[in-house]
Amino acid sequence: MKKEDVSRFIRRKEVLGVFLILFLVFGFYSVKLMSASPYVVNTQRLGTFREEGQLKHAAYLKPNELYGYMVFRDEYPISLVDRFLLMYTYRSDPPLSSGTYEVTGKVIYYVNKGSDEVIMWEETLFDEKGKLQNGGFTVEYTLDMGKLDEMNANVAEELGIRRLNRRVIITTTVEGTGEVGGKTINENFDQEVELVRDGGAGLYYFTDTTKTAKRTLTKTTREEVSANVLGVESDLDTAKVVTTLLALLMLVPLLGYVYTARPPKDELAKIRPYIVKGAPGPVQKRVVLKTPKDLETTFELVDKPILHYIDGEDEVFAIIDDGISYEYRKPLPQEGDEAN
């Protein structure tokens, strides 16, 4: 098939219509796929891990007729407390397979300096360490308030500070390893409980005796997305490239048709109203004008009508002045082209 035949075939309206439809189809897929993510993120819930630390306390009292020998309360009268029984328990669910713990009790002596606290002395009351058993542990300790008061008096005397305050802090630290839903976890748990001596109210009480931590473990996976274009399935990146290239390819004939279908520029537009059909008679001399601009300039100088006629295979535009023919010649348009 000749090149001219191919060109005429492509420029047929029904063929251009097919190219237009294909361009819209592939363009639609290209835009749609460009905004799509190449991966789907899936989150799977593996399970929940929970751990809890709790300090239980009771007070042994001095002889009294109100509470008896031992009492479990949230607040205790300072004047009646002889000693505290402390029991700290830690547990995990599911149980940590291995791990260690440390429970430390300290008494901190301090004075108030304006709004600040200045620590003057620290002393360790107890320090319990060990390994977790079935994901947990329990420790007990008896805190003798009489001995604590004696220590307080000794430190105050040594420092020479009469208004010396004290704070009892119980700190727990747990480090362990376990498994939840097939995933290994490394846990760090800490808790701080304080025994507060409220002299104004005349009471002892403990703060933050229970701490619970809970978290959900998940597993995230990425799955590559596939695309189906007109029944053909491929990965998303390939589909993006192919649909974009096909859309551009379908656009080429359409742009070519739009470009070639435009009417050619009329080189004689300015002098077209002064062109008349007709051939000149015998002339003494012929002057060849090379360009339409030369013809336009000659017309402005001579100011006479422009004759238009066919001479063989040439289209001739001539201006006759005093027996001289000023002629601009151009080949006749080929079949399928338009003439000016």
Side-chain angles (χ1 to χ4, degrees):
M1 184 178 291
K2 295 181 179 180
K3 183 178 180 180
E4 293 79 5
D5 295 335
V6 173
S7 177
R8 281 195 294 270
F9 174 77
I10 292 178
R11 294 178 65 180
R12 293 173 59 182
K13 290 184 178 180
E14 56 269 27
V15 176
L16 291 172
V18 172
F19 279 118
L20 177 61
I21 293 173
L22 291 176
F23 167 72
L24 294 175
V25 170
F26 290 122
F28 168 77
Y29 276 109
S30 177
V31 173
K32 183 178 179 181
L33 295 176
M34 286 299 177
S35 61
S37 173
Y39 298 97
V40 173
V41 178
N42 298 313
T43 302
Q44 178 185 359
R45 185 177 181 274
L46 299 178
T48 302
F49 178 76
R50 184 178 184 274
E51 54 189 340
E52 180 184 77
Q54 184 179 36
L55 178 71
K56 294 182 179 180
H57 48 82
Y60 293 99
L61 303 180
K62 299 172 183 177
N64 69 91
E65 297 181 0
L66 296 177
Y67 297 109
Y69 177 66
M70 187 177 187
V71 67
F72 296 87
R73 293 178 58 87
D74 292 331
E75 298 87 12
Y76 304 91
I78 294 175
S79 60
L80 295 181
V81 175
D82 180 62
R83 61 190 185 278
F84 283 108
L85 174 63
L86 308 178
M87 183 174 68
Y88 184 87
T89 301
Y90 168 86
R91 62 177 66 89
S92 58
D93 183 29
L96 295 173
S97 57
S98 63
T100 59
Y101 68 86
E102 181 176 7
V103 182
T104 304
K106 286 186 177 182
V107 57
I108 300 172
Y109 300 97
Y110 67 94
V111 293
N112 293 319
K113 179 185 176 183
S115 59
D116 298 328
E117 292 183 358
V118 179
I119 296 175
M120 304 303 298
W121 181 253
E122 291 186 13
E123 191 160 348
T124 300
L125 300 175
F126 61 92
D127 189 11
E128 296 282 343
K129 298 180 181 179
K131 294 184 179 180
L132 300 179
Q133 301 294 327
N134 297 321
F137 69 92
T138 299
V139 295
E140 293 185 4
Y141 182 75
T142 300
L143 183 60
D144 191 323
M145 301 309 293
K147 290 184 178 180
L148 199 60
D149 289 339
E150 290 179 9
M151 292 170 55
N152 196 115
N154 292 335
V155 173
E157 184 178 353
E158 288 287 337
L159 295 174
I161 300 176
R162 297 181 60 185
R163 287 181 167 272
L164 186 65
N165 300 315
R166 75 175 181 226
R167 180 183 295 113
V168 177
I169 303 292
I170 301 168
T171 304
T172 303
T173 303
V174 179
E175 295 181 358
T177 302
E179 186 175 292
V180 177
K183 182 177 181 179
T184 300
I185 58 172
N186 296 303
E187 289 299 311
N188 292 288
F189 179 87
D190 58 81
Q191 183 179 0
E192 184 176 280
V193 180
E194 180 179 351
L195 171 60
V196 177
R197 186 181 190 277
D198 189 339
L203 297 174
Y204 282 124
Y205 59 89
F206 292 88
T207 64
D208 302 319
T209 56
T210 301
K211 180 178 179 180
T212 301
K214 180 180 179 181
R215 65 189 181 98
T216 300
L217 283 85
T218 60
K219 178 181 179 182
T220 302
T221 58
R222 293 199 315 170
E223 181 180 351
E224 189 173 336
V225 174
S226 61
N228 190 305
V229 180
L230 300 179
V232 179
E233 189 166 328
S234 66
D235 63 89
L236 187 63
D237 289 337
T238 301
K240 287 180 181 180
V241 174
V242 171
T243 53
T244 302
L245 290 177
L246 288 175
L248 294 175
L249 186 62
M250 296 303 107
L251 186 61
V252 171
L254 298 175
L255 294 177
Y257 172 75
V258 171
Y259 180 78
T260 57
R262 293 182 305 172
K265 182 179 179 181
D266 188 359
E267 298 174 326
L268 304 174
K270 289 185 178 180
I271 56 177
R272 182 70 65 183
Y274 309 103
I275 298 177
V276 296
K277 295 288 184 180
V283 294
Q284 299 175 1
K285 184 179 179 181
R286 297 180 184 275
V287 177
V288 178
L289 304 176
K290 295 183 178 181
T291 66
K293 184 64 177 176
D294 294 339
L295 181 65
E296 182 180 332
T297 302
T298 302
F299 170 74
E300 292 175 352
L301 294 174
V302 176
D303 193 22
K304 289 187 177 181
I306 303 171
L307 301 179
H308 177 218
Y309 63 96
I310 303 301
D311 183 13
E313 295 183 357
D314 290 335
E315 189 176 8
V316 184
F317 298 88
I319 300 175
I320 309 301
D321 182 44
D322 292 336
I324 301 174
S325 177
Y326 299 92
E327 299 178 352
Y328 168 66
R329 290 176 174 265
K330 58 183 295 186
L332 287 171
Q334 299 295 321
E335 183 180 354
D337 297 334
E338 295 184 7
N340 287 329

